[in-house]
Amino acid sequence: MKKIVMLILLAALPNFALAHSKVTETTPADGTTVTTVPAEVGLNFSKDIRLTRIEMAHEEHGAVRLDLGDQARFAQKFKIPLPGNGAGTYVIEWRGLGEDGHAMQGAFTFTVK
């Protein structure tokens, strides 16, 4: 029950951006329902940022840190491999730095039926 409450609270948080860049698109789209677990998640920003951390939480499993691989550079588009945990609600939480040094963070959710 605690996991579900935590997922709901995280999903209710808006995408915080303390710098000037905003999330323009996520893949899967925030709040959407998909039929299969995607092989990767995508984040598109309005300006260059450097992702510093990305985590995935699933209602049946605790949060795990996802591997950024060679994507530790400033860019506007990121695709991160996603380990599938089957059906359920996924919360993707990210952190990064804008080119001006401002810290940024946000989260999005999707559900796999």
Side-chain angles (χ1 to χ4, degrees):
M1 185 66 179
K2 287 182 183 180
K3 289 179 186 178
I4 293 172
V5 171
M6 176 75 128
L7 288 171
I8 291 169
L9 288 174
L10 285 173
L13 292 174
N15 284 340
F16 292 107
L18 300 175
H20 305 285
S21 185
K22 297 179 188 174
V23 174
T24 59
E25 180 182 21
T26 63
T27 307
D30 188 23
T32 195
T33 298
V34 296
T35 57
T36 60
V37 178
E40 61 189 17
V41 292
L43 288 161
N44 293 355
F45 294 88
S46 61
K47 295 184 180 180
D48 285 353
I49 76 155
R50 183 172 66 85
L51 284 180
T52 57
R53 184 180 185 111
I54 188 161
E55 291 184 347
M56 174 195 76
H58 182 270
E59 65 186 45
E60 298 294 324
H61 306 279
V64 294
R65 192 170 184 171
L66 300 181
D67 183 13
L68 291 172
D70 65 350
Q71 298 185 74
R73 67 195 183 304
F74 282 94
Q76 289 182 342
K77 296 182 179 187
F78 299 90
K79 294 207 179 286
I80 295 91
L82 184 72
N85 284 331
T89 300
Y90 289 74
V91 177
I92 307 298
E93 184 177 335
W94 58 269
R95 294 180 186 170
L97 291 174
E99 285 188 312
D100 57 2
H102 282 104
M104 300 167 33
Q105 66 182 25
F108 70 97
T109 65
F110 62 93
T111 301
V112 177
K113 288 287 181 180

